[in-house]
Amino acid sequence: MPPRLRVSNARLPRSLRCQRALYQHELPILARCASTATTPAPSHEQMTQSPPPIARYPPSQPPSHRSPEYRRSQLLRQYTSLIRTTPLMVFFQQTNLKSVEWVGIRRELNKAMRTVDEKIAAEGRAAPALTPHIKMQTIQTNIFEVALRVVEYFRPDQAAMAAGQSPSAVNPASQTSAEINLAGSRDDPSLSHDLSRTAHDAVLNMKNKHEFSTLLAGPIAVLTIPQVSPEHIKAALSVLCPKAVGYPSPTRRANPGWHETGVQEGLQKLNLLAARVDGDVFDLDQTKWIGSIEGGMDGLRSQLVMALQSMGSSVTNTLEGAGKSLYFTLESRKNVLEEEQKGPEEGKSDS
């Protein structure tokens, strides 16, 4: 490509220099006039109404009353998600467990859960493996209590959530000045996520009123199982606290790792408190009853079907018995009446 030659004004004739200067001077003016001519004039509504508030946060990150950069806020979001998605949670009081003891306890727990999954697969039942999703972890009790209150007592407006309107999509003419000032801020009442000001104000008066509030004191460890499985909870309690629930302990021949000194010292520092099953609080005896269900949830369903069938048969027998008793009563009364009618006629015939 040949190089470009820069032509200076000195090499041009005077007439061309004047035309070029005039063109360079009038070009911005013509551009402004053209833009003004193509842009329509604002309407009366646009001039009288106040402009919509400028969104200070992206739609994917709504403003939060609790600053999301803090670890406490992230733990609150993690705990609320855990409570909503985990139907079975077992709470233990733990006293200064060492890291080596935690490693041994989690190893034995993982081994017992894998054994249950292999047993279920060997029986041919179509059930997913729960071992990768079963975890035992310590929790921050004060933050966990707030997460419980948010999940249990906070009920945001379902209609507003279904509409899915952002603060910038609301018509400013239908809002007051206070609402316009709060729109798009962390105190916006239309926000309803777990870290919003609405959730904070909704559960503030319910502090220490939850059923678990009395249990969440001191260092607490939680065993989370993503499905209500009596077989898994029985195997877990047999490893973590067999004496407390009356389950047989693993034998030394079948499971020598459970009898190691580090594991036994760690298990002595665990005390079973309660369980949360589908949102309900279960004490020690009720937790033990869940583990005693034979056949898991399939066995519980079969027991329910048998109970319903026996109930139906008992109702049928009761109704049939009432009908039969009425039939026999009427038949006996009919026979008595027939005998009374035959009695005088037979006497007359004999005379």
Side-chain angles (χ1 to χ4, degrees):
M1 185 179 201
R4 294 182 179 181
L5 300 177
R6 298 184 61 184
V7 180
S8 61
N9 293 334
R11 297 181 181 180
L12 294 175
R14 183 176 180 181
S15 60
L16 295 179
R17 288 201 303 267
C18 294
Q19 292 179 4
R20 183 177 182 181
L22 181 61
Y23 177 76
Q24 292 178 354
H25 176 69
E26 293 181 353
L27 182 61
I29 300 175
L30 294 175
R32 288 197 298 268
C33 293
S35 61
T36 306
T38 57
T39 303
S43 62
H44 178 71
E45 291 78 6
Q46 294 177 352
M47 296 178 63
T48 55
Q49 293 180 359
S50 59
I54 300 175
R56 290 179 253 178
Y57 301 90
S60 59
Q61 295 180 353
S64 303
H65 174 67
R66 303 173 185 269
S67 182
E69 292 84 6
Y70 295 153
R71 182 174 179 268
R72 294 171 59 89
S73 301
Q74 295 300 325
L75 284 177
L76 179 61
R77 296 179 61 184
Q78 177 185 348
Y79 290 158
T80 52
S81 176
L82 184 67
I83 295 170
R84 289 191 180 100
T85 57
T86 306
L88 180 56
M89 306 175 71
V90 186
F91 295 83
F92 295 88
Q93 184 86 35
Q94 57 95 9
T95 308
N96 298 328
L97 267 79
K98 300 178 181 178
S99 59
V100 178
E101 297 169 350
W102 270 119
V103 170
I105 291 174
R106 286 170 175 149
R107 181 195 64 212
E108 298 303 320
L109 179 64
N110 191 24
K111 187 186 300 183
M113 297 298 100
R114 282 202 309 269
T115 303
V116 175
D117 287 338
E118 293 173 358
K119 179 182 176 182
I120 293 175
E123 293 176 356
R125 287 188 285 171
L130 301 180
T131 301
H133 309 288
I134 297 176
K135 300 184 182 300
M136 188 170 185
Q137 59 184 338
T138 58
I139 59 173
Q140 297 287 339
T141 54
N142 53 348
I143 304 177
F144 195 86
E145 196 268 340
V146 176
L148 276 174
R149 285 190 279 133
V150 170
V151 174
E152 295 290 342
Y153 303 126
F154 178 50
R155 295 292 180 269
D157 188 7
Q158 300 295 333
M161 293 182 63
Q165 291 184 350
S166 61
S168 59
V170 181
N171 186 10
S174 61
Q175 292 181 310
T176 62
S177 59
E179 292 177 347
I180 292 176
N181 294 331
L182 292 177
S185 65
R186 63 177 60 189
D187 296 331
D188 188 358
S190 63
L191 300 175
S192 57
H193 55 87
D194 293 339
L195 300 181
S196 63
R197 181 60 179 265
T198 307
H200 175 268
D201 295 340
V203 302
L204 185 61
N205 297 329
M206 304 301 295
K207 187 176 182 179
N208 298 327
K209 293 183 180 181
H210 195 273
E211 295 176 316
F212 272 104
S213 298
T214 56
L215 299 176
L216 297 176
I220 301 294
V222 179
L223 173 66
T224 56
I225 302 177
Q227 185 177 345
V228 180
S229 175
E231 297 169 329
H232 285 86
I233 191 174
K234 180 178 181 180
L237 296 180
S238 299
V239 171
L240 299 176
C241 53
K243 295 182 179 179
V245 294
Y247 291 158
S249 303
T251 60
R252 187 179 294 273
R253 177 177 295 180
N255 195 352
W258 187 82
H259 294 272
E260 293 179 358
T261 304
V263 176
Q264 290 299 314
E265 291 178 354
L267 293 177
Q268 292 176 2
K269 301 177 183 179
L270 286 177
N271 295 319
L272 178 62
L273 296 178
R276 184 180 183 271
V277 183
D278 288 334
D280 297 329
V281 182
F282 279 46
D283 58 6
L284 186 61
D285 295 334
Q286 292 173 333
T287 306
K288 180 181 177 181
W289 171 79
I290 294 176
S292 63
I293 298 174
E294 296 294 337
M297 295 301 295
D298 295 335
L300 184 61
R301 294 187 185 97
S302 62
Q303 293 178 13
L304 179 60
V305 171
M306 292 177 61
L308 293 176
Q309 290 178 352
S310 62
M311 185 183 299
S313 61
S314 63
V315 171
T316 303
N317 294 332
T318 303
L319 295 176
E320 289 180 354
K324 289 180 180 179
S325 63
L326 179 60
Y327 172 76
F328 289 135
T329 302
L330 293 177
E331 286 293 327
S332 62
R333 182 60 179 170
K334 178 182 178 182
N335 295 332
V336 171
L337 293 176
E338 290 178 352
E339 292 177 357
E340 289 179 355
Q341 291 178 358
K342 291 180 181 180
E345 295 177 357
E346 291 178 357
K348 292 179 181 180
S349 62
D350 293 339
S351 63

